[in-house]
Amino acid sequence: MHLYTYDSAPNPRRLGLFLAFKGIELPTTQIDMRANAHRDAEFLDVNPLGTLPALLTDEGVLLTEVIAICAYLEELYPTKPLMGSTPLERALVISWDHRIFVSIFEAFAEMLRNRSPAFENRALPGPLDVEQIPALEERGRKRFRGSLELFNQELGDKPFLCGDAITFADIDLLVGVETARWVKESIPEGCDKLTAWAERCRAALS
């Protein structure tokens, strides 16, 4: 296997925390996104989407979605499970993860990609040129804040999103919350349960 990634970017960081928690080490090539190396012809020959991370399996299959990479590696390295240990637990992790991606990561992308000059004509990830829509920045902020307030309510007295143990859903939400600092967002005031949850996640991952 070979991993192509850029550790500091949000999606690669999701996978990086997964790998670190489980103690998985993979041959890795860092693709400098700040230098637009993910859009160079050399990397596009590997992944025509130009997205990171990307995992080339021993079978020669390229996996380009974080959730798919984690599901695949969980099967190969089941110790310290992060994707759930029963059918219901796995369903809960995927359900939470999908909600987090849609409501947090997409909201973050709306805020960042529709305001930053660095993303001119690249408002969506991938190979297509897509123009920015400035009005989506404010919509993204509304989605982000509202979703975290709802997550705070739903967390209740649970230590983690899916119960007593940390899962990949917790990793994703933590990365989403911390990355949102790039657009001057964070856990809203009054979301004390979510704030305490974030501290538990950091402790569990350290």
Side-chain angles (χ1 to χ4, degrees):
M1 285 187 286
H2 195 93
L3 175 64
Y4 299 86
T5 192
Y6 184 60
D7 288 340
S8 61
N11 283 324
R13 185 157 185 263
R14 296 164 61 201
L15 178 58
L17 288 174
F18 176 94
L19 295 174
F21 183 83
K22 292 175 73 70
I24 301 172
E25 296 183 1
L26 299 173
T28 299
T29 298
Q30 294 288 328
I31 306 296
D32 190 348
M33 298 184 77
R34 289 188 179 275
N36 282 325
H38 59 301
R39 306 189 81 192
D40 289 347
E42 182 178 359
F43 179 65
L44 292 177
D45 285 342
V46 175
N47 178 13
L49 295 176
T51 57
L52 293 165
L55 179 69
L56 185 63
T57 71
D58 290 338
E59 297 81 4
V61 176
L62 187 71
L63 300 177
T64 61
E65 305 304 320
V66 176
I67 188 68
I69 296 172
C70 291
Y72 175 69
L73 293 174
E74 181 94 343
E75 292 292 327
L76 297 180
Y77 303 92
T79 304
K80 299 178 71 174
L82 283 170
M83 302 297 292
S85 300
T86 68
L88 181 56
E89 288 176 356
R90 285 190 284 272
L92 286 172
V93 172
I94 292 172
S95 178
W96 268 107
D97 198 68
H98 179 73
R99 286 182 59 190
I100 291 163
F101 191 84
V102 170
S103 60
I104 300 300
F105 282 91
E106 287 188 359
F108 168 75
E110 284 186 342
M111 289 185 274
L112 180 66
R113 287 181 170 268
N114 287 288
R115 66 180 288 273
S116 172
F119 291 100
E120 185 177 0
N121 292 324
R122 293 175 51 218
L124 293 175
L128 299 179
D129 289 338
V130 179
E131 66 277 8
Q132 293 174 314
I133 303 175
L136 290 181
E137 179 188 355
E138 185 55 36
R139 189 181 77 170
R141 293 189 188 280
K142 184 176 181 179
R143 292 175 65 193
F144 178 84
R145 294 168 184 169
S147 295
L148 288 187
E149 289 169 354
L150 182 59
F151 290 168
N152 182 71
Q153 295 173 20
E154 292 186 73
L155 185 62
D157 295 326
K158 295 183 296 184
F160 299 101
L161 292 176
C162 297
D164 293 333
I166 192 168
T167 68
F168 184 60
D170 297 287
I171 287 176
D172 265 4
L173 184 54
L174 182 65
V175 172
V177 167
E178 293 184 341
T179 304
R181 295 171 183 168
W182 296 7
V183 287
K184 300 181 180 180
E185 287 291 342
S186 61
I187 295 175
E189 290 186 13
C191 291
D192 297 338
K193 292 179 179 179
L194 204 56
T195 299
W197 158 88
E199 292 304 315
R200 285 194 295 274
C201 288
R202 294 185 185 104
L205 293 169
S206 64

